[in-house]
Amino acid sequence: MKRILRIKTLLPYLAVVLAVNHNAFAQVFVFPKFLNFDEVMFGQTVSRSLVISNQGDTTIVVNDINLSHSYFQVSDTSFFIDPNDSQIVVVTFSPQEQGVADGTVSIFVNVPPDTTLEVDLTGWSPIDLNNELLRNEFSMPISFNLQKSREFLLHLQVSSETIWSIPGSESAVLTIYIDSTDGSQNQDIVLFKGDEFFIYKVSLGRIDSGSHSIAVYFNGDKSTLGAHYIYLEKCYIIPVPLSDQNYDIYRFSPVLYGRNLISDDESNHTDTPLLLWHEVEYDGVNKWIVYSMIWSNEDGGTSSIDLMSRWGRTTDIEWIYRVKVDPGGNVLQEYFQGPGHSTSIFQGNRINDHPVLKTVTINNMVSDEGVSNYKFFLSPERGKHEIHSREILMDEDPWTYEIMALEMIAEGKYESPADPFSLAVSDARNYLYLEFNTQMVGSGLRLTFATKLGNEAYWYYSDHDYSSVAAVNAAGWRRSTIELPPETALEDLDSLKIMGSASGSFSITFEELSKVFLLDEDFTLLESPLLFAETFVLNESNNSIQFAFDELTSVAGEEVVYKPKIFLLSQNYPNPFNSITNIQYQLPASSEVLLTIYNIRGHEVLHLVENEQPAGYHQITWKAPNVASGMYFYRIQAGKFVQTRKMILLR
């Protein structure tokens, strides 16, 4: 008898093809490749399902399933699986103490020769700290044991009595030590949110298997003089699943030393890194991962009035590092953004796979050389997925507007009392924020905005009606702001004017006005519900257009219906499902739609949709009472748009 063993790793499942003889074979699929239980409270139990599927034509035997960690348990350990059938195995996670747990499900398939499939397990429970620290005090070490080497994140819920807007009392600084005080992965956390219990999100980098400890130190030498105590509430040690398709995002995220151009301690009160995020772009089979940072302020490069007019903020937002990775996780190319917004090849040091950078200019450009007293290793878990400007990240974390405003107050950059007709900037809560998308052709371009309030006859301008103030001058998704009198409300807005100009002939195609909002006293976004999505062109013969706000927003309390901006096929829900699931998709234009279900072998099961449908949001329900358990694919084709997703039918 001829026996051949061939093992494949296929996203998002594991497959084993076992050729028993010339006429029979067993093809085993295990889905998913990892079980991530996320946060589970101490004393609770959470279950996840594994699907083991036999797509061959001979019966297979699973003769044992082992788990490498006692906090995980499995429902079945041995069974037969007939051809074209599946078995669901339930894995439960029940943490017996606070902290992190990881492990492996090992599935032993008894087809000669014996074969083992492994599924990665991760889960964690919040750790209650409830510890007050004075300057230069350590917390009690947090001990944990790991079975596999992997990337980790740390979320730390903490407060201090500091106030970011008061010079000399802006922040306390924590130093995180992993195993020792001289470890390469130690880092600093600047507590810019003061007495609010805030969750600071950082990376820990790769931590190898074995026993480890984390200590939190209230670093008096790095804190401002007004910082006297901190209170540690909770922490979350979060493992990244090794088989996660996004693992490389965490593996290559950068370490950043703080700026020390003005003083050795400037990073604890100005231009402090607030938020790191990633974007992924595919270049054939390879992918680019781009990491960008939001700093609390921009001390140089662009004036505050120009920042508000051209960018809609006084934070600084820059990409800092980008890396091209092949499917095997090998680095093909890597760059950083150096002084003068130059793109330079990265040739610096690494901590494991993490590149080490340093902020080296007053406007937060970086270098692959140098160190400083402050070392930041922010979590890259936030991703920019929507089609919006970069500032959408601030909208999703509006506390960034608060820190932006408080730093401007601390540095005396806000005028008081506020005067919307002067060139000085005022509190961030006095502005109308606009997001839009354009295409531009011409030289010396300026795109500006103005608004009029219902009880006034005059206009307020994004550039204050001064050509010396910078204006939006480039195409794409951008932001701008218009300074208004304090305490202006959305219902006060009467009209909006959009104006274009250039040094010669020009064309500005205004494709969309996607967001209009104010900030309330607590820096919460107060958004105007928009209906405006038409295209118009500004040029030298038609250089402005004006709208009444009641043309842009809902009236009389009517429900606002948004037209989709892009084609999109959403993940079905529920998923996994038992007999019935819902599939949603959106069409920005009327399209001929074909929505098809396929089985795991690529055979067509049925057409769910096969007709022309109007623009809008659509949903269809698939009822599958007589369909076998297993993995299925659903594929939409709408004009030239094609997208495929996976779903699991469990019975």
Side-chain angles (χ1 to χ4, degrees):
M1 173 142 345
K2 179 180 179 182
R3 296 188 178 97
I4 302 172
L5 175 64
R6 182 159 52 97
I7 298 179
K8 297 182 185 176
T9 299
L10 300 175
L11 292 175
Y13 48 80
L14 299 177
V16 174
V17 180
L18 299 157
V20 181
N21 53 43
H22 292 293
N23 301 311
F25 71 97
Q27 190 173 13
V28 187
F29 296 92
V30 181
F31 177 86
K33 296 188 302 175
F34 63 88
L35 293 179
N36 183 11
F37 289 83
D38 296 317
E39 178 182 344
V40 178
M41 300 302 294
F42 168 62
Q44 294 184 342
T45 297
V46 173
S47 299
R48 298 279 189 269
S49 295
L50 278 177
V51 180
I52 306 174
S53 179
N54 179 7
Q55 297 296 325
D57 55 12
T58 186
T59 299
I60 65 168
V61 179
V62 174
N63 64 1
D64 198 9
I65 298 180
N66 288 341
L67 296 108
S68 62
H69 197 295
S70 61
Y71 293 177
F72 300 95
Q73 295 181 344
V74 67
S75 60
D76 298 287
T77 58
S78 61
F79 42 83
F80 295 88
I81 306 179
D82 292 329
N84 297 310
D85 200 0
S86 300
Q87 175 78 16
I88 299 172
V89 175
V90 177
V91 181
T92 60
F93 173 48
S94 181
Q96 302 304 304
E97 60 184 12
Q98 297 177 346
V100 62
D102 70 335
T104 302
V105 175
S106 298
I107 303 167
F108 299 95
V109 182
N110 190 24
V111 177
D114 291 346
T115 303
T116 303
L117 296 177
E118 291 190 347
V119 175
D120 193 29
L121 300 174
T122 54
W124 68 91
S125 178
I127 301 172
D128 293 321
L129 299 177
N130 299 321
N131 191 8
E132 184 174 293
L133 297 181
L134 300 177
R135 291 176 77 98
N136 301 319
E137 280 192 341
F138 276 94
S139 69
M140 291 293 293
I142 303 165
S143 299
F144 57 100
N145 187 72
L146 303 178
Q147 297 195 6
K148 288 189 174 183
S149 301
R150 66 175 81 237
E151 295 287 324
F152 278 84
L153 305 177
L154 175 69
H155 291 183
L156 188 65
Q157 188 172 10
V158 60
S159 70
S160 66
E161 91 289 17
T162 55
I163 302 175
W164 193 255
S165 62
I166 298 181
S169 296
E170 292 93 340
S171 67
V173 176
L174 302 182
T175 300
I176 307 298
Y177 294 114
I178 303 177
D179 295 332
S180 70
T181 56
D182 59 357
S184 62
Q185 292 170 221
N186 298 337
Q187 62 178 291
D188 301 306
I189 301 177
V190 175
L191 305 184
F192 43 73
K193 283 288 281 179
D195 61 2
E196 176 183 341
F197 276 115
F198 183 75
I199 297 179
Y200 296 85
K201 300 179 180 181
V202 299
S203 293
L204 294 176
R206 193 190 76 203
I207 302 180
D208 292 331
S209 59
S211 298
H212 300 275
S213 66
I214 294 176
V216 179
Y217 176 60
F218 183 176
N219 199 320
D221 293 337
K222 295 185 179 182
S223 303
T224 59
L225 293 176
H228 301 296
Y229 72 88
I230 62 162
Y231 191 81
L232 302 172
E233 177 78 359
K234 292 177 185 283
C235 85
Y236 308 77
I237 302 172
I238 303 173
V240 180
L242 289 167
S243 299
D244 192 330
Q245 63 179 350
N246 295 319
Y247 189 80
D248 284 342
I249 291 168
Y250 301 94
R251 178 184 164 200
F252 294 108
S253 63
V255 177
L256 181 68
Y257 280 99
R259 198 183 70 191
N260 58 355
L261 298 176
I262 301 172
S263 64
D264 288 340
D265 64 353
E266 66 191 82
S267 290
N268 69 18
H269 65 275
T270 185
D271 289 35
T272 300
L274 298 181
L275 186 69
L276 179 73
W277 85 87
H278 71 271
E279 297 173 84
V280 177
E281 303 170 358
Y282 284 90
D283 180 6
V285 297
N286 304 313
K287 64 183 175 185
W288 283 100
I289 309 173
V290 182
Y291 299 91
S292 299
M293 185 75 77
I294 300 177
W295 283 267
S296 57
N297 190 247
E298 182 175 340
D299 279 334
T302 305
S303 69
S304 297
I305 180 62
D306 290 344
L307 284 169
M308 291 299 286
S309 175
R310 178 175 287 175
W311 297 106
R313 53 176 166 79
T314 56
T315 57
D316 197 7
I317 304 180
E318 306 286 355
W319 75 269
I320 58 174
Y321 174 72
R322 66 187 189 196
V323 58
K324 187 176 183 179
V325 183
D326 70 15
N330 302 302
V331 173
L332 303 177
Q333 300 176 49
E334 53 186 331
Y335 303 94
F336 65 90
Q337 185 172 204
H341 297 276
S342 61
T343 298
S344 303
I345 297 173
F346 178 82
Q347 302 179 75
N349 296 322
R350 299 180 186 278
I351 299 174
N352 294 321
D353 292 312
H354 300 276
V356 179
L357 302 167
K358 180 182 182 296
T359 307
V360 293
T361 70
I362 205 73
N363 62 335
N364 300 311
M365 300 292 102
V366 301
S367 171
D368 59 356
E369 297 180 341
V371 297
S372 72
N373 289 340
Y374 293 81
K375 184 180 179 183
F376 302 102
F377 197 6
L378 301 190
S379 168
E381 61 198 89
R382 175 70 79 182
K384 180 179 178 292
H385 305 296
E386 295 185 74
I387 303 175
H388 279 288
S389 66
R390 299 175 298 172
E391 289 76 16
I392 192 70
L393 277 300
M394 294 184 64
D395 301 351
E396 294 170 355
D397 285 286
W399 55 265
T400 55
Y401 287 103
E402 177 185 6
I403 303 305
M404 174 186 90
L406 296 180
E407 185 163 329
M408 293 286 285
I409 293 171
E411 296 185 358
K413 294 179 178 178
Y414 280 166
E415 65 173 354
S416 183
D419 179 4
F421 294 105
S422 78
L423 289 181
V425 295
S426 68
D427 192 293
R429 291 165 286 194
N430 297 336
Y431 287 80
L432 180 68
Y433 294 78
L434 307 164
E435 182 185 70
F436 43 90
N437 185 28
T438 66
Q439 300 296 325
M440 295 186 175
V441 178
S443 178
L445 289 160
R446 289 178 63 85
L447 178 64
T448 57
F449 302 83
T451 191
K452 186 168 73 69
L453 305 182
N455 58 348
E456 297 175 352
Y458 38 84
W459 292 85
Y460 299 93
Y461 291 84
S462 57
D463 63 353
H464 294 264
D465 206 19
Y466 281 88
S467 60
S468 59
V469 175
V472 175
N473 62 352
W477 286 96
R478 301 291 290 271
R479 293 278 178 106
S480 185
T481 61
I482 303 172
E483 186 180 2
L484 301 173
E487 301 183 4
T488 298
L490 285 174
E491 55 266 27
D492 298 328
L493 302 174
D494 177 79
S495 300
L496 178 69
K497 185 160 51 175
I498 304 173
M499 300 154 287
S501 64
S503 56
S505 62
F506 71 96
S507 174
I508 300 176
T509 303
F510 203 95
E511 297 186 343
E512 185 172 352
L513 178 64
S514 57
K515 298 192 77 171
V516 174
F517 64 91
L518 300 168
L519 297 172
D520 71 7
E521 184 65 24
D522 298 320
F523 296 92
T524 299
L525 272 66
L526 304 174
E527 295 198 45
S528 173
L530 298 177
L531 292 175
F532 172 84
E534 65 180 277
T535 297
F536 62 85
V537 178
L538 301 178
N539 52 41
E540 58 272 19
S541 60
N542 181 30
N543 62 6
S544 69
I545 190 168
Q546 181 176 325
F547 302 92
F549 266 93
D550 60 11
E551 294 180 273
L552 301 177
T553 60
S554 60
V555 294
E558 295 178 358
E559 181 181 357
V560 176
V561 180
Y562 295 89
K563 179 181 176 182
K565 304 177 182 66
I566 59 173
F567 288 97
L568 180 67
L569 178 64
S570 299
Q571 186 64 52
N572 66 302
Y573 71 93
N575 187 45
F577 67 98
N578 182 356
S579 300
I580 298 176
T581 190
N582 300 292
I583 298 172
Q584 294 181 334
Y585 54 94
Q586 63 187 50
L587 309 172
S590 176
S591 306
E592 190 72 30
V593 176
L594 179 62
L595 181 61
T596 309
I597 306 294
Y598 297 90
N599 64 22
I600 198 169
R601 292 183 173 180
H603 298 153
E604 185 178 298
V605 176
L606 82 161
H607 293 312
L608 278 178
V609 179
E610 191 175 9
N611 55 36
E612 185 172 350
Q613 295 191 321
Y617 298 91
H618 301 269
Q619 176 176 305
I620 189 165
T621 298
W622 183 32
K623 298 180 180 179
N626 300 316
V627 180
S629 296
M631 180 186 301
Y632 292 86
F633 300 88
Y634 57 105
R635 178 182 184 270
I636 191 172
Q637 181 173 350
K640 295 182 179 179
F641 172 75
V642 177
Q643 186 175 2
T644 302
R645 288 185 177 272
K646 310 174 191 67
M647 56 184 169
I648 297 295
L649 173 58
L650 301 180
R651 297 192 185 281

